[in-house]
Amino acid sequence: MAPPRASAQDGCGHAPAPDQADGVQVLNILRSYHAAEKAQRDRMRGSMEMNDADLSALAHLLQADHEGRALRPIDLSRLLNISTASTTTLIDRLETSGHLTRGAHPTDKRALILIPTMGEDTDVYQTFSVIYQRMLAVAQSLTPIEAATVGKFLGQITAALDPASAPRSPA
């Protein structure tokens, strides 16, 4: 499937200079991706009857679980950029709804870890999995050179938007 064509205007409603047309097209495609991702999240929130923070928390919990990592409440707080009080309320909500349990940290007995309770047969897991697999298939179709180019571009865009969250280059 071919990428969408750039409109005759940039995101600010101006016609791009000829030497900027390719860059404007890429930014327009990036905006289209962002809109598609937001629409998908809105559909998921509606079908799961969850707010955005809960849905993001579940995504982080599933990702960490998939990677064999445990998340503590403070980790979730930082990932979601919310206060510890808001995180406690969110965790209480997800625990009440059966999406997670609190468990003892394996090495720090004073700390808790958050354990997702969504098995592979649950709607939540299936929804995240289907979307992830579709996106992964697209990413895996890239050649190594294309993947490096996309990775570099997205890292630079991330740094342009939020220098503090930019991915670190391997040393």
Side-chain angles (χ1 to χ4, degrees):
M1 179 172 170
R5 299 274 312 150
S7 69
Q9 298 181 344
D10 64 14
C12 300
H14 304 103
D19 63 335
Q20 295 177 337
D22 289 342
V24 169
Q25 179 177 359
V26 169
L27 292 179
N28 285 339
I29 293 167
L30 195 57
R31 277 191 275 285
S32 294
Y33 165 79
H34 179 69
E37 182 181 42
K38 183 181 179 323
Q40 177 60 39
R41 288 183 68 83
D42 290 347
R43 286 190 299 273
M44 287 176 65
R45 277 194 353 251
S47 70
M48 295 181 198
E49 298 178 357
M50 290 185 174
N51 66 40
D52 201 41
D54 291 1
L55 193 60
S56 293
L58 289 177
H60 286 299
L61 286 165
L62 287 172
Q63 181 67 34
D65 189 58
H66 178 74
E67 294 171 356
R69 295 182 296 114
L71 287 182
R72 300 168 300 159
I74 190 66
D75 301 324
L76 197 56
S77 222
R78 290 176 181 146
L79 288 166
L80 298 174
N81 197 28
I82 60 176
S83 71
T84 54
S86 293
T87 302
T88 299
T89 302
L90 180 147
I91 292 168
D92 289 345
R93 225 179 10 254
L94 292 177
E95 188 172 40
T96 299
S97 66
H99 291 100
L100 68 76
T101 60
R102 292 171 168 104
H105 192 281
T107 59
D108 181 354
K109 298 305 177 195
R110 299 168 297 159
L112 294 174
I113 60 169
L114 305 172
I115 304 162
T117 57
M118 299 150 293
E120 293 183 14
D121 58 336
T122 63
D123 289 341
V124 172
Y125 185 91
Q126 288 297 319
T127 301
F128 278 112
S129 182
V130 166
I131 294 164
Y132 176 78
Q133 291 301 323
R134 287 192 310 223
M135 292 173 67
L136 182 61
V138 172
Q140 288 179 325
S141 74
L142 299 173
T143 67
I145 292 172
E146 290 170 332
T149 300
V150 171
K152 178 181 175 186
F153 168 75
L154 292 175
Q156 290 172 339
I157 287 292
T158 300
L161 293 173
D162 183 8
S165 70
R168 309 258 189 282
S169 296

